[in-house]
Amino acid sequence: MRIADAQWIPSTQHQTWDALMDPAVLQKCLPGCVKIEQRSPTEYALSLHANVGGVEASYEGEVLLSELNPP
């Protein structure tokens, strides 16, 4: 799945970084995200529910962050 978009965020880089590392904020940012759980500082588990072309499906997966460069 590829999700692409751009948004202007009126905050500092540090505030934006902290928000994007927060599971509650990430859940709001990912379309169809039902649940996101932080397992470690660089690993998240998530559940998504999608409806594409009239076909509904639920997905579970993991996100592993690497090569982080915080502000």
Side-chain angles (χ1 to χ4, degrees), residues 47-68:
S47 298
L48 296 170
H49 184 78
N51 185 348
V52 179
V55 177
E56 291 188 38
S58 294
Y59 301 94
E60 292 191 9
E62 296 178 340
V63 175
L64 181 61
L65 306 175
S66 63
E67 300 181 30
L68 300 177

mmCIF file of all heavy atoms in Angstrom, residues 47-68:
data_model
loop_
_atom_site.group_PDB
_atom_site.id
_atom_site.type_symbol
_atom_site.label_atom_id
_atom_site.label_comp_id
_atom_site.label_asym_id
_atom_site.label_seq_id
_atom_site.Cartn_x
_atom_site.Cartn_y
_atom_site.Cartn_z
ATOM 1 N N SER A 47 -3.360 -2.086 12.964
ATOM 2 C CA SER A 47 -4.495 -2.716 12.289
ATOM 3 C C SER A 47 -5.172 -1.660 11.434
ATOM 4 O O SER A 47 -5.426 -0.546 11.901
ATOM 5 C CB SER A 47 -5.502 -3.260 13.295
ATOM 6 O OG SER A 47 -4.924 -4.254 14.091
ATOM 7 N N LEU A 48 -5.451 -2.011 10.173
ATOM 8 C CA LEU A 48 -6.112 -1.105 9.235
ATOM 9 C C LEU A 48 -7.376 -1.751 8.710
ATOM 10 O O LEU A 48 -7.447 -2.974 8.563
ATOM 11 C CB LEU A 48 -5.206 -0.807 8.033
ATOM 12 C CG LEU A 48 -3.915 -0.066 8.264
ATOM 13 C CD1 LEU A 48 -3.079 -0.093 6.994
ATOM 14 C CD2 LEU A 48 -4.186 1.352 8.673
ATOM 15 N N HIS A 49 -8.362 -0.915 8.400
ATOM 16 C CA HIS A 49 -9.582 -1.384 7.754
ATOM 17 C C HIS A 49 -9.753 -0.537 6.498
ATOM 18 O O HIS A 49 -9.795 0.690 6.569
ATOM 19 C CB HIS A 49 -10.794 -1.237 8.672
ATOM 20 C CG HIS A 49 -12.039 -1.797 8.070
ATOM 21 N ND1 HIS A 49 -12.298 -3.150 8.043
ATOM 22 C CD2 HIS A 49 -13.075 -1.207 7.444
ATOM 23 C CE1 HIS A 49 -13.450 -3.352 7.440
ATOM 24 N NE2 HIS A 49 -13.935 -2.187 7.063
ATOM 25 N N ALA A 50 -9.818 -1.186 5.339
ATOM 26 C CA ALA A 50 -9.901 -0.456 4.073
ATOM 27 C C ALA A 50 -11.101 -0.921 3.262
ATOM 28 O O ALA A 50 -11.495 -2.079 3.319
ATOM 29 C CB ALA A 50 -8.622 -0.673 3.272
ATOM 30 N N ASN A 51 -11.668 0.007 2.506
ATOM 31 C CA ASN A 51 -12.754 -0.282 1.583
ATOM 32 C C ASN A 51 -12.333 0.283 0.232
ATOM 33 O O ASN A 51 -12.367 1.487 0.022
ATOM 34 C CB ASN A 51 -14.050 0.364 2.071
ATOM 35 C CG ASN A 51 -15.236 -0.010 1.215
ATOM 36 O OD1 ASN A 51 -15.091 -0.572 0.137
ATOM 37 N ND2 ASN A 51 -16.420 0.324 1.688
ATOM 38 N N VAL A 52 -11.916 -0.590 -0.667
ATOM 39 C CA VAL A 52 -11.439 -0.169 -1.980
ATOM 40 C C VAL A 52 -12.307 -0.820 -3.047
ATOM 41 O O VAL A 52 -12.391 -2.045 -3.121
ATOM 42 C CB VAL A 52 -9.952 -0.563 -2.187
ATOM 43 C CG1 VAL A 52 -9.476 -0.138 -3.563
ATOM 44 C CG2 VAL A 52 -9.080 0.040 -1.103
ATOM 45 N N GLY A 53 -12.957 -0.005 -3.834
ATOM 46 C CA GLY A 53 -13.791 -0.536 -4.917
ATOM 47 C C GLY A 53 -14.906 -1.431 -4.426
ATOM 48 O O GLY A 53 -15.262 -2.380 -5.109
ATOM 49 N N GLY A 54 -15.446 -1.145 -3.256
ATOM 50 C CA GLY A 54 -16.530 -1.946 -2.707
ATOM 51 C C GLY A 54 -16.085 -3.210 -1.997
ATOM 52 O O GLY A 54 -16.905 -3.964 -1.503
ATOM 53 N N VAL A 55 -14.794 -3.459 -1.952
ATOM 54 C CA VAL A 55 -14.264 -4.634 -1.268
ATOM 55 C C VAL A 55 -13.662 -4.183 0.062
ATOM 56 O O VAL A 55 -12.750 -3.357 0.091
ATOM 57 C CB VAL A 55 -13.181 -5.345 -2.113
ATOM 58 C CG1 VAL A 55 -12.599 -6.521 -1.361
ATOM 59 C CG2 VAL A 55 -13.762 -5.783 -3.451
ATOM 60 N N GLU A 56 -14.211 -4.702 1.148
ATOM 61 C CA GLU A 56 -13.708 -4.360 2.476
ATOM 62 C C GLU A 56 -12.715 -5.407 2.944
ATOM 63 O O GLU A 56 -12.903 -6.600 2.721
ATOM 64 C CB GLU A 56 -14.857 -4.276 3.481
ATOM 65 C CG GLU A 56 -15.779 -3.104 3.246
ATOM 66 C CD GLU A 56 -16.776 -2.942 4.369
ATOM 67 O OE1 GLU A 56 -16.411 -3.158 5.539
ATOM 68 O OE2 GLU A 56 -17.926 -2.603 4.056
ATOM 69 N N ALA A 57 -11.657 -4.931 3.587
ATOM 70 C CA ALA A 57 -10.652 -5.853 4.101
ATOM 71 C C ALA A 57 -9.993 -5.246 5.329
ATOM 72 O O ALA A 57 -9.915 -4.030 5.478
ATOM 73 C CB ALA A 57 -9.607 -6.151 3.042
ATOM 74 N N SER A 58 -9.537 -6.116 6.203
ATOM 75 C CA SER A 58 -8.793 -5.693 7.382
ATOM 76 C C SER A 58 -7.373 -6.230 7.275
ATOM 77 O O SER A 58 -7.163 -7.355 6.800
ATOM 78 C CB SER A 58 -9.448 -6.221 8.656
ATOM 79 O OG SER A 58 -10.711 -5.628 8.828
ATOM 80 N N TYR A 59 -6.435 -5.436 7.689
ATOM 81 C CA TYR A 59 -5.028 -5.817 7.606
ATOM 82 C C TYR A 59 -4.361 -5.581 8.950
ATOM 83 O O TYR A 59 -4.724 -4.660 9.682
ATOM 84 C CB TYR A 59 -4.287 -4.974 6.557
ATOM 85 C CG TYR A 59 -4.857 -5.094 5.176
ATOM 86 C CD1 TYR A 59 -5.802 -4.179 4.714
ATOM 87 C CD2 TYR A 59 -4.460 -6.111 4.330
ATOM 88 C CE1 TYR A 59 -6.326 -4.287 3.435
ATOM 89 C CE2 TYR A 59 -4.979 -6.228 3.052
ATOM 90 C CZ TYR A 59 -5.915 -5.306 2.617
ATOM 91 O OH TYR A 59 -6.439 -5.421 1.358
ATOM 92 N N GLU A 60 -3.390 -6.408 9.261
ATOM 93 C CA GLU A 60 -2.556 -6.213 10.433
ATOM 94 C C GLU A 60 -1.115 -6.220 9.957
ATOM 95 O O GLU A 60 -0.764 -6.951 9.030
ATOM 96 C CB GLU A 60 -2.786 -7.310 11.461
ATOM 97 C CG GLU A 60 -4.165 -7.229 12.087
ATOM 98 C CD GLU A 60 -4.320 -8.140 13.277
ATOM 99 O OE1 GLU A 60 -3.320 -8.720 13.732
ATOM 100 O OE2 GLU A 60 -5.456 -8.264 13.747
ATOM 101 N N GLY A 61 -0.295 -5.382 10.572
ATOM 102 C CA GLY A 61 1.090 -5.327 10.146
ATOM 103 C C GLY A 61 1.971 -4.681 11.187
ATOM 104 O O GLY A 61 1.521 -4.317 12.276
ATOM 105 N N GLU A 62 3.222 -4.538 10.829
ATOM 106 C CA GLU A 62 4.204 -3.924 11.701
ATOM 107 C C GLU A 62 4.940 -2.839 10.933
ATOM 108 O O GLU A 62 5.127 -2.942 9.715
ATOM 109 C CB GLU A 62 5.216 -4.960 12.188
ATOM 110 C CG GLU A 62 4.605 -6.036 13.047
ATOM 111 C CD GLU A 62 5.637 -7.074 13.458
ATOM 112 O OE1 GLU A 62 6.695 -7.188 12.809
ATOM 113 O OE2 GLU A 62 5.376 -7.790 14.430
ATOM 114 N N VAL A 63 5.358 -1.827 11.646
ATOM 115 C CA VAL A 63 6.178 -0.763 11.090
ATOM 116 C C VAL A 63 7.463 -0.733 11.900
ATOM 117 O O VAL A 63 7.430 -0.658 13.134
ATOM 118 C CB VAL A 63 5.466 0.603 11.168
ATOM 119 C CG1 VAL A 63 6.380 1.717 10.694
ATOM 120 C CG2 VAL A 63 4.171 0.573 10.377
ATOM 121 N N LEU A 64 8.580 -0.829 11.211
ATOM 122 C CA LEU A 64 9.874 -0.768 11.857
ATOM 123 C C LEU A 64 10.611 0.456 11.330
ATOM 124 O O LEU A 64 10.827 0.585 10.123
ATOM 125 C CB LEU A 64 10.691 -2.024 11.560
ATOM 126 C CG LEU A 64 12.080 -2.098 12.194
ATOM 127 C CD1 LEU A 64 11.982 -2.057 13.718
ATOM 128 C CD2 LEU A 64 12.792 -3.344 11.753
ATOM 129 N N LEU A 65 10.931 1.380 12.216
ATOM 130 C CA LEU A 65 11.631 2.603 11.844
ATOM 131 C C LEU A 65 13.134 2.363 11.876
ATOM 132 O O LEU A 65 13.649 1.739 12.802
ATOM 133 C CB LEU A 65 11.264 3.729 12.807
ATOM 134 C CG LEU A 65 9.778 4.003 12.987
ATOM 135 C CD1 LEU A 65 9.555 5.055 14.065
ATOM 136 C CD2 LEU A 65 9.152 4.434 11.684
ATOM 137 N N SER A 66 13.827 2.864 10.866
ATOM 138 C CA SER A 66 15.286 2.706 10.822
ATOM 139 C C SER A 66 15.901 3.992 10.274
ATOM 140 O O SER A 66 15.226 4.815 9.675
ATOM 141 C CB SER A 66 15.679 1.514 9.960
ATOM 142 O OG SER A 66 15.278 1.720 8.629
ATOM 143 N N GLU A 67 17.180 4.121 10.477
ATOM 144 C CA GLU A 67 17.927 5.281 10.020
ATOM 145 C C GLU A 67 17.266 6.586 10.449
ATOM 146 O O GLU A 67 17.107 7.520 9.641
ATOM 147 C CB GLU A 67 18.120 5.222 8.507
ATOM 148 C CG GLU A 67 18.890 3.992 8.052
ATOM 149 C CD GLU A 67 19.091 3.947 6.552
ATOM 150 O OE1 GLU A 67 19.175 5.025 5.929
ATOM 151 O OE2 GLU A 67 19.163 2.823 6.019
ATOM 152 N N LEU A 68 16.828 6.659 11.688
ATOM 153 C CA LEU A 68 16.176 7.850 12.223
ATOM 154 C C LEU A 68 17.176 8.995 12.360
ATOM 155 O O LEU A 68 18.327 8.782 12.747
ATOM 156 C CB LEU A 68 15.525 7.557 13.564
ATOM 157 C CG LEU A 68 14.442 6.468 13.549
ATOM 158 C CD1 LEU A 68 13.940 6.219 14.959
ATOM 159 C CD2 LEU A 68 13.319 6.850 12.641
#
